[in-house]
Amino acid sequence: MKTDNKLQAIYIPAKEKGPGKSPVIIALHGVGSNEKDLAEFASSLDPRFAVFSLRAPLVMGPESFAWFQVRFTAEGPIHNREEAEQSRRLLKEFIKDLKSHPDVDARKVLLLGFSQGTIMSLSLGFTEPELVRGIVAIGGRTLQEISQGVVPDGTVTSTPKVLLLHGVHDNKLPLFHSEATAETLKKAGFAFNFKTYNAGHEITPEMRDDISEWLKANF
């Protein structure tokens, strides 16, 4: 499987410009999708935010990309740890490179992920909490190697706020994955909100409204 060594992105400037640089939402799509998937959705959430909608580095096919390869088995999903770690590093470098962007405030970064994009958002948030102000995590999970390495409450000086959303009828990544993530967030001392929906493995209009309200209330 071909891998890109630099993340490609769609950039959408903030619709409402305040004084100084704009806060930014970095949108991370799910497996088999691409950077177009969440671009308009992310830019519709809050006009104060600029948006970078990223393309995952692994090429699966035409217009189809992934952050890492995964197999779904009777024992649960089994993923390629090396690819997941490489994608985490690429995401980290992408955020660090925002320091040189003329219109975006690299100190005010929020990650918005769906499915595998949520996995990557949580992986970076847990390992590099100082790089991220907030995380919107929809229909995903935390990788075992990440949750096992989480430091206990009180040892990290700055952690992102997290909005954890999951459909109760999700049959791709069932609800218990987000319940486990909530326990990990609690252990690590993160401030978070956890809400479930009468939905499957999807982003619903109700989720969109709740994300918008959360952004306005917290940022």
Side-chain angles (χ1 to χ4, degrees):
M1 188 177 287
K2 180 185 174 185
T3 304
D4 288 336
N5 293 321
K6 195 170 181 66
L7 296 177
Q8 299 187 49
I10 294 173
Y11 173 61
I12 304 173
K15 297 180 178 70
E16 290 183 5
K17 295 287 262 180
K21 295 184 176 183
S22 302
V24 60
I25 292 172
I26 296 178
L28 308 176
H29 65 76
V31 63
S33 190
N34 58 57
E35 71 277 18
K36 300 173 187 175
D37 186 33
L38 295 177
E40 288 189 16
F41 172 78
S43 68
S44 74
L45 294 170
D46 190 319
R48 298 172 298 159
F49 285 81
V51 169
F52 280 100
S53 190
L54 304 192
R55 175 192 293 180
L58 297 179
V59 182
M60 299 180 67
E63 301 296 308
S64 178
F65 303 87
W67 300 96
F68 52 85
Q69 295 182 77
V70 61
R71 291 186 296 111
F72 290 93
T73 72
E75 290 74 37
I78 299 174
H79 66 283
N80 185 311
R81 292 193 175 198
E82 290 184 3
E83 290 174 349
E85 173 59 15
Q86 176 63 13
S87 287
R88 189 194 69 82
R89 290 177 180 174
L90 287 174
L91 181 56
K92 174 184 173 181
E93 291 307 311
F94 185 90
I95 293 174
K96 286 189 170 184
D97 287 346
L98 291 181
K99 292 178 181 178
S100 61
H101 196 282
D103 300 316
V104 165
D105 192 341
R107 301 165 302 173
K108 297 178 180 179
V109 171
L110 284 89
L111 300 178
L112 183 149
F114 173 67
S115 192
Q116 202 177 81
T118 281
I119 295 173
M120 295 311 306
S121 298
L122 293 169
S123 292
L124 192 78
F126 280 129
T127 57
E128 311 283 346
E130 73 284 353
L131 291 181
V132 186
R133 283 282 187 92
I135 299 172
V136 178
I138 310 167
R141 66 187 180 103
T142 306
L143 299 179
Q144 184 181 22
E145 63 268 27
I146 297 295
S147 61
Q148 288 175 341
V150 169
V151 294
D153 186 10
T155 59
V156 178
T157 57
S158 176
T159 57
K161 296 179 180 179
V162 180
L163 180 61
L164 196 61
L165 310 178
H166 214 113
V168 297
H169 306 297
D170 192 329
N171 58 10
K172 178 66 73 173
L173 289 172
L175 177 60
F176 71 83
H177 286 298
S178 276
E179 292 172 338
T181 293
E183 289 300 313
T184 303
L185 288 164
K186 185 177 179 181
K187 170 186 172 184
F190 282 54
F192 70 97
N193 298 88
F194 181 21
K195 188 170 181 180
T196 58
Y197 299 81
N198 184 26
H201 194 65
E202 59 186 320
I203 301 175
T204 67
E206 186 182 0
M207 291 178 183
R208 183 208 171 280
D209 292 343
D210 287 343
I211 295 167
S212 293
E213 289 302 316
W214 182 78
L215 289 172
K216 291 171 185 174
N218 289 279
F219 302 96

